[in-house]
Amino acid sequence: MISQDLIILFTMGYLAILFYIAYRQDQYPVDAYSRYQPLIYTLSITIYCTSWTYFGAVGNASISGWDYFSIYLGPILVFMLMTPFLRKLITVSKRQKTTTIADFIATRYGKSHRVAAIATLIALIGTLPYIALQIKAIAGAYEQLAGPATHVAGLSWFPDTAFVISIILAVFTILFGARTIDASEHHRGMMHAIALESVVKLIAFLIVAALAISIILDISLHSTSAPDPITIMLSPFNDWELTTGFFTRVILAAAAIVVLPRQFHVMAVEGKGDEINSARWGFSIYLLIFSIAVIPIVAAGIQTMEGPENADLFVLSLPMIEGSTVIAMITY
């Protein structure tokens, strides 16, 4: 286990960096255009990769093999094959000055307030459990490193870790996202913070994947009965076949990249309108890299843990088993 004081200090430092970047970027004039805007836009779209990518994809792959890839395949197909549709969606959104997916749907029905209210209610009902799962995953990651605790160390008057996390996320959103909701105003600070997080997520995940590959190689070299590394790596994915469920999830994921409130906002509201061509390749490559990195992590986790139990936390348990505290903290 890692000291709770160290985890809290590390977390506060990381959050301070995000707050600083968001604050600095919000100081620029509203109409200022960064030459890195296409890259920032592409990275901000990767907000699609939530804690499910870190935990759920690995856990799902350990049980269902290639089934996890459906969540990535849907968005990749949309961006690679339906770029004209996305470009038109963004153009219409800009022309109608919409700020949310409910707004956009309502404009298709004569700007009906009733349609907007229904769409908002559906989004709310669908999003609240989803956000709760994200917060639960972050709290679970904290407890995986620090050990089960009834409260955060030094903050005994807080009920639990998830509550503290919720407050921090709410404050960040209020300061850099919800203060102004205007179709003509972009939340530069929040988008840059999301872009930085996207880079950190990918680097950390690749570091764990590299660690997993070294574990697999070590198993193969030091065990006479162990098969070659490639066989070990692909073994969790052998007993799998295409099902209608796989294609259903591909369709759902393809729809999610457009209709999830956060995805629509980042793609259609925060963008300038001309970045979709670069995002088409950048976003697809980003998802593809993530999906490939899942493979060695799952294989090493199953080999090390001798089964898929608690596979959702392989990305944290692998570094901890190997004694790599630094990697575990970076991943967290």
Side-chain angles (χ1 to χ4, degrees), residues 51-61 68 312:
S51 59
W52 190 93
T53 296
Y54 254 65
F55 305 117
V58 173
N60 189 32
Y68 83 96
D312 287 349

Side-chain angles (χ1 to χ4, degrees), residues 102-165:
D103 234 359
F104 181 82
I105 294 173
T107 61
R108 304 293 87 198
Y109 294 91
K111 296 187 177 180
S112 168
H113 293 294
R114 181 176 297 179
V115 171
I118 294 173
T120 301
L121 184 61
I122 293 173
L124 177 65
I125 294 173
T127 303
L128 280 179
Y130 189 79
I131 294 175
L133 285 174
Q134 309 303 316
I135 295 173
K136 182 180 178 182
I138 300 172
Y142 174 87
E143 291 172 1
Q144 173 74 8
L145 295 183
T150 56
H151 57 78
V152 177
L155 297 174
S156 57
W157 48 280
F158 276 110
D160 55 26
T161 308
F163 186 71
V164 178
I165 293 168

Side-chain angles (χ1 to χ4, degrees), residues 3 19 60 69 84 87 90 105 124 137 140 156 163 174 185 224 227 238 254 259-260 273 283 296-297 306 316-317:
S3 166
F19 271 78
N60 189 32
F69 186 58
R87 192 179 295 112
I90 295 171
I105 294 173
L124 177 65
S156 57
F163 186 71
I174 291 170
E185 184 170 339
T224 55
N238 289 333
V259 301
L260 275 176
F283 179 67
I297 294 173
E306 299 181 349
L316 291 175
S317 54

